[in-house]
Amino acid sequence: MRAPLQFVLDFFTGGDPVVPASLVPSAAPAPAPAQSPSAPPTADSAEAPPLRVLPAPETTEPAGFTHPNANRHALLHGITVSYVFERARRRSIGFLVGNEGLVVRAPSWVTLREVDAAVQEKGAWIVAKLQQFKQRQTEQFQQAIEWTHGAQVPFLGGTVQLCVLERGTPQAAAADVQRLPVSVPPGASATQVREVAEAWLKKQARTLFEQRLQHFAPLLGVRWSKLSLSSANTRWGSARSDGHIRLNWRLIHLPVSQIDYVVVHELAHLREMNHSPRFWETVGEVMPDYAQRRKALKQAPMGLAQD
């Protein structure tokens, strides 16, 4: 049987506990009552006040690697690379890969066709270097968190305090502190603490993502069949035509407004498996300010999106 279509959002993934209300920012939209993923939209959930639809962007959503000042694009080994192209006083075409992305410089006498051909020829090297920088940023972000008792961990746009306790030790009440509880064996290493902490974060992510999917799916008139957590290196999420949604669990570090944008983006693909103007109109039906949310997501620390 032919595999279901899949479309990904590239930008830069049994009794799960419910996210405590105290940990969710008050500005976050209240989730609608939970319903089965396969249940049809209800009349109540489908009713919403008229929303102003923003015009669709002139270009499609770039996938892969995007320089913030990009003015040119290339498809390299199946990955879209949006880069900065500049004219410079030099003898040949130059390539520079840095934290922000790719910069290509060429002398004035080189045609754009020749530049494009050179970029394609260096495609494997460019993609490899961009991936190395992304991985390095991820590692730097992870190392910035000291996985010890009292450390601050990014969570829903704010932070939670890591509370490390040896198993069997009673936990003291701390009503005024938002905490990430970690129970580990005596003498546990920082790596063990991190693994347990990330397991807690993934549980919170699954619970919240399911709530947001259940909230927005009826508004878009679509049905999702399955949610999987992803740890993709370059993707916030993906959607398949059979209703299977994958979301990067590291989204739990970001504000709910940005999480909602990714959720709506992927659900909209269940109606439009592309980035056509109709797709953006679909997104705008339930999220008129999606352009602002999309911009904020692109400006999020790169380490938060990578694994």
Side-chain angles (χ1 to χ4, degrees), residues 5 7 41 46 53 216-224 239-243 245 263-287:
L5 295 175
F7 210 95
V53 178
F216 285 109
L219 300 180
L220 286 165
V222 298
R223 300 181 184 182
W224 59 282
R240 300 198 320 186
S241 60
D242 62 357
I245 302 292
V263 169
V264 170
H265 187 114
E266 298 307 336
L267 287 173
H269 278 312
L270 300 185
R271 284 172 54 179
E272 297 289 336
M273 296 294 289
N274 51 54
H275 284 122
S276 66
R278 289 185 61 181
F279 166 80
W280 293 110
E281 291 172 1
T282 300
V283 174
E285 287 177 10
V286 299
M287 189 171 285

Side-chain angles (χ1 to χ4, degrees), residues 52-256:
R52 180 172 60 87
V53 178
L54 294 180
E58 295 181 358
T59 58
T60 58
E61 183 87 33
F65 301 92
T66 302
H67 193 290
N69 300 319
N71 56 9
R72 208 159 173 79
H73 313 280
L75 184 63
L76 306 177
H77 296 270
I79 298 176
T80 300
V81 176
S82 300
Y83 62 93
V84 172
F85 173 68
E86 301 174 341
R87 293 293 184 180
R89 297 183 61 181
R90 51 180 301 123
R91 296 182 178 179
S92 60
I93 301 174
F95 302 87
L96 175 64
V97 176
N99 289 329
E100 291 187 315
L102 172 65
V103 177
V104 179
R105 297 187 175 96
S108 58
W109 50 266
V110 174
T111 66
L112 288 178
R113 180 175 296 182
E114 291 172 319
V115 171
D116 291 340
V119 170
Q120 290 295 326
E121 184 178 351
K122 296 282 288 186
W125 179 87
I126 291 171
V127 171
K129 286 296 182 182
L130 288 169
Q131 290 174 337
Q132 288 175 12
F133 269 96
K134 280 180 175 286
Q135 182 62 29
R136 188 179 306 168
Q137 289 169 330
T138 299
E139 293 171 353
Q140 290 173 348
F141 169 75
Q142 292 297 334
Q143 292 171 0
I145 300 176
E146 296 183 3
W147 297 97
T148 57
H149 181 76
Q152 298 296 316
V153 179
F155 183 73
L156 296 179
T159 61
V160 289
Q161 187 180 73
L162 190 61
C163 181
V164 182
L165 295 174
E166 293 185 355
R167 289 173 185 167
T169 303
Q171 181 173 347
D176 297 333
V177 179
Q178 296 178 347
R179 295 201 168 191
L180 191 167
V182 172
S183 178
V184 295
S189 66
T191 299
Q192 290 175 295
V193 172
R194 171 183 169 182
E195 290 174 351
V196 177
E198 288 188 349
W200 183 90
L201 290 168
K202 289 177 181 178
K203 289 183 178 181
Q204 310 309 311
R206 177 176 290 278
T207 298
L208 181 61
F209 296 170
E210 288 179 347
Q211 290 174 350
R212 306 319 289 153
L213 286 166
Q214 290 163 358
H215 175 75
F216 285 109
L219 300 180
L220 286 165
V222 298
R223 300 181 184 182
W224 59 282
S225 60
K226 179 181 178 181
L227 168 66
S228 296
L229 297 185
S230 165
S231 297
N233 289 332
T234 60
R235 298 172 182 172
W236 284 118
S238 65
R240 300 198 320 186
S241 60
D242 62 357
H244 185 180
I245 302 292
R246 294 177 63 86
L247 297 174
N248 194 308
W249 72 266
R250 294 189 187 282
L251 281 166
I252 199 64
H253 293 303
L254 304 181
V256 174

